[in-house]
Amino acid sequence: MNAIWAIASTEFRRMFVSPLAWSILAVVLFILAWVFLLGLNEYLTMIQPQAAGMEDPPGISDLVVSALYLWAGFIMLAVMPLVTMRQFAEERMNQTLPLLTSSPLSSSQIVLGKYLGILLFILLMVALLSLMPLSLAIGTGLDWGRLAAAALGLALLLASFAAAGLFLSALARQPVIAAVTTFGFLLFLLVLYISGNSQGAGSEIFVYLSHFGHFLSFLDGLFDSSDLVYYLLFIGGFLILTIRKLDNDRLQG
């Protein structure tokens, strides 16, 4: 466990040595802050006056908070490949991967350490994002259960993105190729959800296989154990594939 944590802390620090992580945090949070303010302004000026006469009007958690986390999921679909592309592809391009695989560390320790480093970045991103809706608690009541479910759902969604990106980075020889293939794969899963909900050609299997069908349940404030199991199986499956790939590289090396 000490070895895994040592790799994770090293990878986490390495992200912030280069301007990439700082740039991602700055750009993504700026865009999401703009989305949050636009949604809040629309709710206060247009939706709230119209909902004054309704018996059970939608709250700010339904319309502003959930929309913020949904936008975060879409934006991070394009950003996470940039975070994961360097993990193994850059090591292979710089010819430092043989040094890593020849160390006394097991493949499981290397993969889990690198993945934990990405998870720390994801948790930091979700925590900074959650400060925006939390600021609303000063002047209004929030649905805390819905907020917690949305934050958990986003963390699981990004963790699954990271697991897939880590595996595809282990297959690629260049970080750019790893980023492009990861983005293509994640976009394919989004298309599965869209096609699964299309009229006349819908399929529950496509919806289940896609990330976003399970993510939307969390945004609705629903905590379904089947959604949690899906993400855990998805993450575990890609981590196992990455470990097997690293084992094969060691045998060939």
Side-chain angles (χ1 to χ4, degrees):
M1 189 62 188
N2 290 335
I4 295 175
W5 178 251
I7 296 174
S9 58
T10 300
E11 291 295 328
F12 184 72
R13 288 195 300 268
R14 192 175 74 163
M15 288 183 191
F16 289 94
V17 169
S18 69
L20 179 62
W22 295 103
S23 301
I24 289 174
L25 285 174
V27 172
V28 171
L29 291 175
F30 174 79
I31 294 173
L32 291 175
W34 189 257
V35 170
F36 174 69
L37 291 176
L38 288 177
L40 184 60
N41 180 67
E42 183 181 2
Y43 177 82
L44 293 175
T45 59
M46 298 178 61
I47 299 175
Q48 193 176 41
Q50 295 175 0
M54 298 181 182
E55 284 188 16
D56 189 16
I60 197 168
S61 299
D62 303 321
L63 300 178
V64 178
V65 176
S66 295
L68 175 66
Y69 283 94
L70 178 62
W71 272 101
F74 284 125
I75 292 173
M76 291 304 293
L77 182 146
V79 171
M80 282 305 298
L82 301 178
V83 177
T84 60
M85 67 179 183
R86 303 173 59 186
Q87 297 300 316
F88 288 107
E90 190 175 61
E91 300 264 13
R92 185 175 281 109
M93 185 180 67
N94 295 334
Q95 299 183 351
T96 57
L97 187 60
L99 296 176
L100 185 63
T101 55
S102 63
S103 67
L105 298 174
S106 66
S107 298
S108 300
Q109 290 174 319
I110 295 172
V111 172
L112 291 178
K114 284 181 172 290
Y115 183 70
L116 182 57
I118 302 173
L119 278 185
L120 293 175
F121 178 81
I122 290 172
L123 293 177
L124 176 62
M125 171 72 71
V126 175
L128 293 174
L129 172 64
S130 298
L131 292 176
M132 299 179 199
L134 283 175
S135 66
L136 297 176
I138 300 174
T140 187
L142 289 177
D143 187 340
W144 294 103
R146 193 176 191 125
L147 176 59
L152 176 61
L154 180 62
L156 290 172
L157 179 73
L158 300 187
S160 65
F161 287 174
L166 195 67
F167 171 66
L168 293 172
S169 178
L171 295 179
R173 294 187 173 275
Q174 303 246 344
V176 175
I177 296 175
V180 171
T181 53
T182 301
F183 176 72
F185 176 70
L186 298 180
L187 189 61
F188 169 72
L189 292 176
L190 176 60
V191 172
L192 275 183
Y193 176 77
I194 296 173
S195 62
N197 283 292
S198 62
Q199 294 182 353
S203 173
E204 292 184 2
I205 297 177
F206 288 169
V207 175
Y208 182 81
L209 291 176
S210 175
H211 293 73
F212 282 91
H214 303 275
F215 177 49
L216 294 179
S217 297
F218 284 99
L219 294 184
D220 290 335
L222 303 175
F223 181 81
D224 193 336
S225 59
S226 63
D227 297 324
L228 178 62
V229 169
Y230 168 85
Y231 283 117
L232 293 179
L233 289 176
F234 187 95
I235 293 168
F238 273 100
L239 289 181
I240 291 172
L241 289 174
T242 309
I243 293 170
R244 294 292 301 272
K245 169 60 179 171
L246 210 58
D247 285 335
N248 290 336
D249 289 343
R250 278 181 154 169
L251 292 175
Q252 292 175 3

